[in-house]
Amino acid sequence: MNLQNRTILITGIDEFIGTRAAELAIAQGMKVKGLQTTQTKDPNLQKLGVEIIVGSITDNHTAQRACQGVDIILHTAQLAEEGGDIKRFREINVNGTINIAQAAKQAGVKTFIHLSTVLVYGFNYTEDITENGQVSGDNNPYCQTKIEAETEVLKLNSLPDFGVIIIRAGDVYGPGSIPWIVRPVLMMRQKLFAYANDGQGVMNHLYVDNLVDAIFLAIEKQAYGEIFNITDGEKTSWKDYFLHLAVMEGLSAPISLPKEEMKLFLKVRNQGQKLFRKKADILPESVDFMSRPHAYSIAKAANLLNYQPKVNLEAGMKITNQWLQKTDIKKLMK
């Protein structure tokens, strides 16, 4: 499929990944519509000619209106937190995904890209796990509802009318990334950041532009009904990744704590924050997210899509550092 002059709807366009996808789509010659829940519209996206619709993916009328006149949908909107009430996760990640996908199918949209996550494999998985590997919710609401969303949206795949592609993204970083850039940097600046078990395991980082490149390749190849793991393909340890962040910021190296000790500390910290009616800045469940053991295989994407990550960690961190120097990241956490 030729992407030029195609109209793409990006859900969650006001979030980190959605915003960058919109910018790169326009650079490819595409027309962009965006769906977001927040009332504030990004003036930079509006200057680029993006049509922004305010509303929820869970609302039928909004979904139907947003899907009109669209060729492709990139569904990035999700509740991406480390823990919480599974009903809240299910309403957005599952029901919202079904709602926007059904509206797309009814509107005659050809291609539906569902942005999923490698966290569907849970926290204990085999080395270089492929897309055929066992998925596991591991009693985590985010992991579980992303599995459920994949299952439901694949049921709607019906060629030649409506094609679904699932992208299981790694740990997406870059300018604007809350979990992998903003939050750890803020905590490092306060000397509050630590990694578990001496930073063992693999941080499957994925620079945001590499992710969007993989998405465009999947659309061009019309890889309908397929699931792809997408990372930078580098086996970087958690320790090395966070040390890279610290050095980039000119900060002291983070300390290491045993995994269960970290969880206990964060649990006590959260209880204190609740007592003073403050929003929890980091949940105990985040330790599981930041101590996964192995790499994920991207061989399928390399073979079927000819996916080759163009931005390595060194280059991605350099761009991110330039962004950090001119951005008040505290505002992003409010």
Side-chain angles (χ1 to χ4, degrees):
M1 179 190 293
N2 188 336
L3 299 182
Q4 275 209 335
N5 296 316
R6 300 280 183 175
T7 298
I8 185 170
L9 169 69
I10 301 172
T11 68
I13 198 167
D14 54 334
E15 298 294 336
F16 155 61
I17 294 172
T19 298
R20 187 58 178 154
E23 293 169 345
L24 294 175
I26 288 170
Q28 288 258 14
M30 302 178 76
K31 300 172 185 176
V32 178
K33 293 174 68 175
L35 179 59
Q36 62 182 54
T37 54
T38 54
Q39 293 293 322
T40 304
K41 297 181 180 180
D42 187 332
N44 293 323
L45 290 179
Q46 289 182 303
K47 286 178 184 176
L48 289 173
V50 176
E51 177 190 347
I52 298 175
I53 299 166
V54 176
S56 173
I57 58 171
T58 61
D59 179 73
N60 288 328
H61 176 72
T62 299
Q64 290 167 7
R65 181 165 64 96
C67 291
Q68 296 304 311
V70 170
D71 302 303
I72 302 158
I73 290 181
L74 171 56
H75 177 49
T76 77
Q78 61 176 326
L79 177 58
E81 296 176 1
E82 292 90 350
D85 182 3
I86 195 166
K87 291 181 181 178
R88 181 165 159 256
F89 280 83
R90 197 164 273 139
E91 176 63 16
I92 297 170
N93 292 350
V94 184
N95 298 343
T97 296
I98 295 169
N99 190 50
I100 195 75
Q102 287 177 337
K105 192 170 186 177
Q106 291 167 6
V109 175
K110 174 70 174 176
T111 303
F112 189 92
I113 307 287
H114 174 60
L115 183 62
S116 189
T117 170
V118 291
L119 283 157
V120 296
Y121 301 113
F123 305 119
N124 298 288
Y125 50 91
T126 57
E127 175 75 29
D128 290 319
I129 190 168
T130 70
E131 292 81 355
N132 293 323
Q134 181 69 43
V135 296
S136 174
D138 272 347
N139 295 316
N140 181 277
Y142 179 66
C143 301
Q144 181 59 38
T145 55
K146 294 301 280 188
I147 293 170
E148 292 173 13
E150 284 191 9
T151 301
E152 293 304 316
V153 78
L154 274 176
K155 292 177 183 177
L156 297 173
N157 184 60
S158 55
L159 301 180
D161 300 321
F162 186 70
V164 173
I165 303 169
I166 291 176
I167 301 292
R168 289 177 178 166
D171 307 312
V172 189
Y173 80 101
S177 171
I178 299 296
W180 305 119
I181 297 295
V182 174
R183 191 164 59 189
V185 165
L186 283 174
M187 296 195 77
M188 284 179 190
R189 289 176 180 176
Q190 300 172 71
K191 300 188 185 301
L192 292 174
F193 188 82
Y195 45 70
N197 296 343
D198 200 33
Q200 296 175 9
V202 180
M203 199 288 191
N204 287 266
H205 51 80
L206 172 59
Y207 187 68
V208 62
D209 288 19
N210 290 340
L211 168 60
V212 178
D213 184 42
I215 289 168
F216 289 162
L217 286 170
I219 296 169
E220 289 170 347
K221 298 283 186 181
Q222 300 183 55
Y224 302 134
E226 299 290 351
I227 300 173
F228 297 99
N229 294 339
I230 303 294
T231 74
D232 285 342
E234 298 179 42
K235 295 186 179 182
T236 304
S237 72
W238 292 99
K239 180 177 182 178
D240 285 348
Y241 176 81
F242 290 122
L243 279 176
H244 204 134
L245 262 187
V247 169
M248 183 177 77
E249 278 282 293
L251 300 170
S252 302
I255 63 170
S256 172
L257 292 173
K259 184 175 178 177
E260 295 308 314
E261 190 175 314
M262 276 188 71
K263 283 188 172 182
L264 180 60
F265 168 77
L266 290 174
K267 185 176 180 180
V268 172
R269 177 184 171 86
N270 287 171
Q271 288 171 343
Q273 289 172 327
K274 285 180 182 177
L275 187 65
F276 289 98
R277 297 182 179 180
K278 291 183 178 179
K279 183 181 178 182
D281 52 2
I282 184 166
L283 300 175
E285 292 90 341
S286 66
V287 180
D288 293 322
F289 285 65
M290 295 190 292
S291 55
R292 280 167 283 143
H294 303 301
Y296 308 91
S297 172
I298 60 170
K300 181 178 178 180
N303 293 333
L304 294 189
L305 305 179
N306 196 28
Y307 168 67
Q308 297 177 334
K310 295 174 183 175
V311 183
N312 63 18
L313 183 61
E314 194 70 32
M317 281 295 193
K318 184 176 180 180
I319 297 167
T320 303
N321 186 41
Q322 292 169 350
W323 172 80
L324 280 169
Q325 300 311 308
K326 59 184 181 183
T327 305
D328 182 0
I329 59 175
K330 287 183 181 178
K331 292 181 179 179
L332 301 179
M333 294 298 293
K334 293 181 180 178

